[in-house]
């Protein structure tokens, strides 16, 4: 009985505003793990109320900074489904793009920028799609200019990745596959710095496949 009273005395009796203030302070101080615990406690004790919506966005950002991308994305998807007309829903799309951007590119871009294009680009494509959805739905959002700049970087790397795969197929003499990847890069990511490389591969692949008219057409476009 004494133990029960002791546990009961330690129960958190803070109000929603007090819990939110503590969580926000931890977030501002970049204490990501503490912020996550505080926001989760707030949502558990007060699942509905004036702090619910903002706490979901703040928790998503805390997950992002704490290198927990899956939790961040899951939380953001839930926010978009639950509050599709929220004034900050544009931020949720932008943050989704940032999470995927950093997951695929952030570390390598900082440490080994020349190797970014060599790795799997699935999350880069997801980031590109997230930013594109933001621009499509909220063209006047204040997050659009930054999203556009990141999309240029992502688009160039996606084109480079396809070109690298096409070059690999050329070395293996898989000319049909090489032509398909080069054509995919040109059709989906046109006018990038790697378009000329893709056209050269396409020309060489068509020559190897004894398709002189197509090979000539590729060279004309390159010229």
């Amino acid at each position: 009985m004494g133990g029960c009273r002791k546990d009961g005395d330690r129960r958190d009796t803070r109000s929603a505003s007090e819990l939110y203030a503590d969580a926000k302070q931890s977030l501002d101080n970049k204490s990501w793990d503490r912020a996550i615990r505080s926001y989760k406690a707030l949502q558990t004790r007060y699942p509905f109320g004036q702090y619910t919506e903002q706490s979901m966005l703040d928790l998503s950002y805390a997950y992002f900074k704490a290198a927990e991308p899956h939790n961040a994305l899951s939380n953001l998807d839930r926010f978009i489904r639950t509050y599709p007309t929220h004034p900050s829903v544009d931020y949720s799309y932008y943050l989704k793009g940032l999470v995927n951007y950093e997951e695929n590119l952030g570390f390598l871009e900082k440490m080994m920028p020349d190797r970014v294009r060599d790795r799997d680009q699935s999350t880069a494509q997801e980031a590109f799609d997230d930013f594109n959805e933001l621009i499509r739905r909220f063209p006047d959002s204040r997050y659009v200019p930054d999203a556009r700049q990141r999309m240029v970087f992502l688009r160039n790397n996606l084109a480079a990745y396809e070109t690298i795969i096409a070059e690999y197929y050329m070395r293996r003499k898989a000319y049909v596959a090489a032509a398909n990847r080069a054509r995919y890069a040109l059709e989906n990511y046109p006018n990038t710095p790697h378009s000329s490389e893709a056209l050269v591969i396409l020309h060489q692949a068509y020559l190897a496949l004894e398709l002189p008219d197509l090979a000539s057409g590729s060279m004309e476009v390159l010229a």
Side-chain angles (χ1 to χ4, degrees), residues 196-223:
S196 59
E197 298 172 35
L199 283 165
V200 169
I201 294 171
L202 202 57
H203 171 74
Q204 294 172 341
Y206 284 146
L207 284 179
L209 292 169
E210 299 181 357
L211 298 170
D213 291 341
L214 293 176
S216 176
S218 301
M219 185 54 66
E220 288 175 4
V221 174
L222 175 62

Side-chain angles (χ1 to χ4, degrees), residues 11-26:
R11 187 176 59 187
D12 194 340
T13 59
R14 288 178 294 173
S15 66
S17 61
E18 290 172 329
L19 281 170
Y20 181 79
D22 180 68
K24 187 65 167 61
Q25 183 178 13
S26 297

Side-chain angles (χ1 to χ4, degrees), residues 86-104:
H86 191 276
S88 297
V89 73
D90 61 330
Y91 171 73
S92 63
Y93 282 104
Y94 175 68
L95 186 54
K96 279 187 66 177
L98 282 184
V99 172
N100 281 315
Y101 180 93
E102 289 294 333
E103 175 71 1
N104 185 266

Side-chain angles (χ1 to χ4, degrees), residues 63-204:
Y63 276 137
F64 167 51
K65 299 302 289 185
E68 298 185 33
H70 297 297
N71 286 331
L73 293 172
S74 176
N75 212 49
L76 288 165
D77 285 335
R78 185 161 62 92
F79 179 87
I80 292 170
R81 288 194 306 269
T82 308
Y83 307 107
T85 60
H86 191 276
S88 297
V89 73
D90 61 330
Y91 171 73
S92 63
Y93 282 104
Y94 175 68
L95 186 54
K96 279 187 66 177
L98 282 184
V99 172
N100 281 315
Y101 180 93
E102 289 294 333
E103 175 71 1
N104 185 266
L105 303 171
F107 174 77
L108 283 178
E109 182 185 355
K110 295 179 179 66
M111 303 301 294
M112 295 178 291
D114 293 336
R115 297 298 306 277
V116 171
R117 64 189 63 172
D118 294 348
R119 65 181 303 185
D120 176 66
Q121 298 291 312
S122 56
T123 52
Q125 184 64 58
E126 290 172 5
F128 186 92
D129 293 342
D130 291 332
F131 290 137
N132 193 50
E133 188 72 2
L134 165 68
I135 293 171
R136 186 182 70 83
R137 288 175 176 266
F138 309 98
D140 298 324
S141 170
R142 64 192 180 102
Y143 303 108
V144 164
D146 184 73
R148 287 190 187 278
Q149 290 297 316
R150 293 178 187 272
M151 286 178 72
V152 170
F153 178 82
L154 289 165
R155 187 167 171 269
N156 289 342
N157 277 283
L158 287 165
Y161 180 73
E162 294 299 327
T163 304
I164 288 170
I165 298 299
E167 289 172 344
Y168 168 79
Y169 284 134
M170 284 296 295
R171 291 195 298 270
R172 299 295 297 268
K173 299 183 179 181
Y175 301 121
V176 173
N180 287 339
R181 294 306 282 255
R183 189 169 60 248
Y184 181 88
L186 290 165
E187 292 174 352
N188 290 274
Y189 313 112
N191 302 317
T192 70
H194 304 282
S195 293
S196 59
E197 298 172 35
L199 283 165
V200 169
I201 294 171
L202 202 57
H203 171 74
Q204 294 172 341

